[in-house]
Amino acid sequence: MLGQVLVNGLLQGGFYACIGVSFSIVFGIMKIINLAQGTQVILGAYITYAASHLLGLDPFFTLPLSIIGLFILGYMIQKYLINLVAKGGLIITSLLTFGLNLILINIALLIWKADFRGTNPWYMGMSFEVAGVTIPYVRLLIFVIAILFTIVLELFFRKTETGNSIRATALNPKAAQLMGIDIGKTYCLTFAISSALGGAMGTLFILAKPISPFTGGDFLIILFSVAILGGLGSIPGALLAGIVLGMVESFSTMFFGIAFQNVVLNLVFILILIFLPTGFMGKRFYG
Amino acid sequence: MDTSSLLRIQNLHAGYGDVPVLWDIFLKVDRRKIIGLLGGNGAGKTTLLNVISGIISPMKGRVHFLEEDITFSNPTRRVQMGITQIPEGRLLFYGLTVKQNLRLGAFTRKDKASLEKGLDAIFQLFPRLAERKDQLAGTLSGGEQQMCAIGRGLMSRPKLLLIDELSWGLAPLVVDHIMVALKKVYEEMELSMILVEQDVQLGLEFSHRAYVLETGRIVKEGRSEDIIKDPDIRKSYLGI
């Protein structure tokens, strides 16, 4: 029983870590709170839904479509909306992403209506058993891909020149400009990467659960919790935080029932804010 | 046309928003020359450097570099053309290592293959940086930070180096050490410099020509050795 709860928490945690990272990089690098990120995840899921139903593709293989689609959307949003008001500060950009969230939800409503929609791949519901613990294939796949994406992103930021230029821009925008780094483009790229990662997570999510245009709102508490608990902009921190939250959710479901899942998550979020405001891996040289 | 001139600024007015800070600036930098840009706090020295770097757009006037009009070119283009600024307060990327800082200095360079050679040259100039190349820049001492900032600036292979308040917050001995290195750079690499200094004595000793700024206007210009003898300058800035 305990083993099953731990494995459930771990598998869910990998997914939380990755959507948390997608939110956290925009927060940490640009000081922008993207309140539309949950809905962007859902848009990725809808791309998978549409492609698998219209083209008959296996939902898993629509991953490149949701990544590319959301990358382009994210780039456009930053270039033609957020960059124009970026100097206005946190409140202005938050209002903008709040409004954007409503628009995206309503576009999804227009196209797909308020019904729940899901995919039903042939491997759905199949699982294997290790030492009495049941592991569904889909859940394991989601976990592995989410962790893989998180690691690749971390390597991109640490090892590539483009990644370093994004970090440099976060650390000191003026100095970055003096090095010849185009700040506007860097911001577009950062937002596009965040959106693309969110879109990929949407594809993974709809593999396991059906979605409606409002499902994105449920992610917000997770996004904030992972970003704050992990330390803003810290990818290893977000990875750890995602798994912790997955565990919290899994254990609270066992002890208090599924109805209290969100209550416990919100409670944990408040406790984080009070006792660990800089998170697990908040950085000394940030801010 | 005067082909020895690298940078020409004519009739320049600039400021922040609607507030003018610089009036009617004429300034010329020849090849292989060090220019001192001197004056007290709030005289507009840093603003002028930021206009040359393209961070601030001028309200009026023209800026030419290598006979090309760059008045409205963006900062990226200017770094590519060979104008690099080493900003006041160094502005290193504190959360990145010394080596990553230096590499970012070469961000606009296309010949990435010769980057390692550039790094070696910087490490030869400042052996202290070589010892600390994998350390975060935020953990360096003030003098080492300034070395790192200079190294980062040199990595772009500039033709014109703009150095803002090199002596800021450093012990005189450290300033001397860095000045010796800078002199070496000047002799080995074929570049010009604009040296912004509040330490007027230092600025005059190190430059060929100098401009003195007061509340946004150039009040004096000429050969540094003449300006250092000027009774007004001696009285106002050198306290003699």
Side-chain angles (χ1 to χ4, degrees):
Chain A
M1 185 65 184
L2 185 69
Q4 186 68 57
V5 176
L6 277 173
V7 167
N8 287 351
L10 184 70
L11 293 182
Q12 188 65 18
F15 175 76
Y16 284 169
C18 200
I19 57 168
V21 163
S22 76
F23 177 77
S24 183
I25 53 175
V26 166
F27 203 168
I29 290 168
M30 299 191 277
K31 307 287 176 283
I32 289 170
I33 297 176
N34 181 13
L35 294 169
Q37 181 67 357
T39 304
Q40 286 192 298
V41 171
I42 292 308
L43 286 184
Y46 274 122
I47 289 177
T48 294
Y49 172 79
S52 63
H53 278 76
L54 296 177
L55 309 173
L57 285 172
D58 183 302
F60 176 67
F61 291 116
T62 63
L63 208 47
L65 294 179
S66 56
I67 289 176
I68 293 167
L70 267 292
F71 186 93
I72 294 170
L73 179 71
Y75 202 96
M76 301 290 216
I77 288 173
Q78 184 69 31
K79 185 167 184 189
Y80 295 110
L81 287 175
I82 303 177
N83 268 355
L84 305 182
V85 301
K87 280 189 185 135
L90 194 63
I91 292 185
I92 300 289
T93 52
S94 300
L95 278 174
L96 183 68
T97 59
F98 180 78
L100 186 69
N101 187 43
L102 295 180
I103 292 171
L104 293 180
I105 288 176
N106 279 291
I107 291 173
L109 267 176
L110 270 179
I111 303 176
W112 291 289
K113 310 288 181 288
D115 306 328
F116 273 86
R117 297 182 190 266
T119 56
N120 207 352
W122 58 270
Y123 43 81
M124 186 81 184
M126 289 169 72
S127 60
F128 62 100
E129 211 167 289
V130 182
V133 176
T134 309
I135 301 174
Y137 284 116
V138 172
R139 292 276 174 168
L140 186 64
L141 189 69
I142 293 173
F143 175 79
V144 170
I145 293 172
I147 297 292
L148 200 70
F149 278 166
T150 309
I151 293 170
V152 167
L153 194 68
E154 173 72 355
L155 288 177
F156 167 74
F157 277 124
R158 304 259 146 219
K159 302 287 178 202
T160 68
E161 197 193 26
T162 311
N164 274 333
S165 75
I166 292 177
R167 285 206 291 154
T169 307
L171 287 165
N172 199 324
K174 191 192 169 195
Q177 212 176 1
L178 289 176
M179 299 303 111
I181 296 169
D182 186 329
I183 310 257
K185 252 190 215 158
T186 305
Y187 282 176
C188 289
L189 186 64
T190 307
F191 202 91
I193 291 171
S194 160
S195 300
L197 195 59
M201 290 306 104
T203 295
L204 297 188
F205 188 80
I206 203 174
L207 275 172
K209 281 184 187 165
I211 54 143
S212 87
F214 302 105
T215 310
D218 301 343
F219 290 139
L220 265 186
I221 188 73
I222 304 285
L223 297 177
F224 272 107
S225 304
V226 172
I228 305 281
L229 183 59
L232 282 187
S234 163
I235 294 177
L239 194 59
L240 191 60
I243 288 170
V244 167
L245 283 187
M247 291 293 176
V248 168
E249 190 183 286
S250 177
F251 275 94
S252 72
T253 307
M254 185 178 88
F255 288 120
F256 309 113
I258 197 146
F260 285 93
Q261 196 179 327
N262 277 335
V263 176
V264 176
L265 274 180
N266 277 289
L267 203 64
V268 168
F269 181 53
I270 292 168
L271 291 177
I272 294 166
L273 282 180
I274 295 173
F275 293 108
L276 215 73
T278 54
F280 290 143
M281 298 189 187
K283 282 192 192 128
R284 199 176 140 204
F285 291 114
Y286 267 106
Chain B
M1 189 158 278
D2 182 5
T3 51
S4 67
S5 116
L6 194 61
L7 179 82
R8 260 186 307 126
I9 296 178
Q10 291 158 299
N11 189 27
L12 180 101
H13 295 237
Y16 300 91
D18 292 334
V19 187
V21 175
L22 295 171
W23 284 271
D24 211 21
I25 303 288
F26 284 81
L27 183 142
K28 193 163 77 92
V29 182
D30 289 339
R31 279 173 207 273
R32 304 270 294 130
K33 285 284 186 287
I34 301 174
I35 304 296
L37 190 57
L38 315 167
N41 240 336
K45 307 183 299 288
T46 298
T47 307
L48 184 50
L49 284 200
N50 282 338
V51 170
I52 299 172
S53 280
I55 306 280
I56 299 172
S57 290
M59 297 164 170
K60 214 175 119 184
R62 291 274 142 210
V63 182
H64 284 86
F65 185 72
L66 292 169
E67 300 310 322
E68 189 180 318
D69 187 342
I70 59 159
T71 312
F72 297 105
S73 304
N74 62 32
T76 305
R77 169 87 185 119
R78 296 188 200 212
V79 175
Q80 282 167 342
M81 287 181 77
I83 303 177
T84 296
Q85 186 185 144
I86 297 169
E88 185 177 7
R90 295 133 205 163
L91 305 190
L92 291 179
F93 304 116
Y94 289 143
L96 301 182
T97 66
V98 169
K99 206 168 161 185
Q100 284 168 332
N101 267 278
L102 293 175
R103 281 181 158 275
L104 280 166
F107 184 77
T108 57
R109 266 172 68 180
K110 302 275 184 282
D111 53 333
K112 302 288 179 199
S114 59
L115 234 128
E116 289 297 322
K117 231 200 237 159
L119 276 176
D120 284 343
I122 303 296
F123 289 148
Q124 224 157 36
L125 188 66
F126 299 118
R128 286 287 277 283
L129 291 183
E131 289 167 30
R132 301 181 188 278
K133 62 177 193 279
D134 295 318
Q135 225 169 290
L136 292 186
T139 64
L140 298 180
S141 74
E144 289 161 354
Q145 285 189 13
Q146 189 59 275
M147 294 175 200
C148 187
I150 292 172
R152 187 180 64 172
L154 290 173
M155 283 298 285
S156 65
R157 295 186 155 275
K159 297 187 178 77
L160 175 63
L161 198 57
L162 315 171
I163 306 180
D164 200 354
E165 300 288 0
L166 180 121
S167 64
W168 183 83
L170 298 181
L173 212 64
V174 178
V175 175
D176 286 347
H177 174 71
I178 292 177
M179 279 305 188
V180 169
L182 216 49
K183 195 135 215 164
K184 216 170 117 195
V185 167
Y186 166 74
E187 276 155 14
E188 284 170 11
M189 293 174 73
E190 302 221 320
L191 48 69
S192 302
M193 296 184 193
I194 297 181
L195 206 62
V196 163
E197 264 303 331
Q198 270 190 37
D199 184 340
V200 171
Q201 174 112 27
L202 180 77
L204 286 173
E205 279 171 7
F206 197 71
S207 58
H208 301 110
R209 283 170 54 80
Y211 293 80
V212 181
L213 271 176
E214 244 167 53
T215 57
R217 291 170 205 276
I218 290 173
V219 292
K220 203 149 257 159
E221 64 172 288
R223 296 197 314 164
S224 299
E225 51 197 288
D226 296 335
I227 289 183
I228 207 166
K229 288 184 206 129
D230 188 294
D232 289 344
I233 296 294
R234 290 176 78 85
K235 207 167 133 221
S236 331
Y237 294 104
L238 303 176
I240 309 169

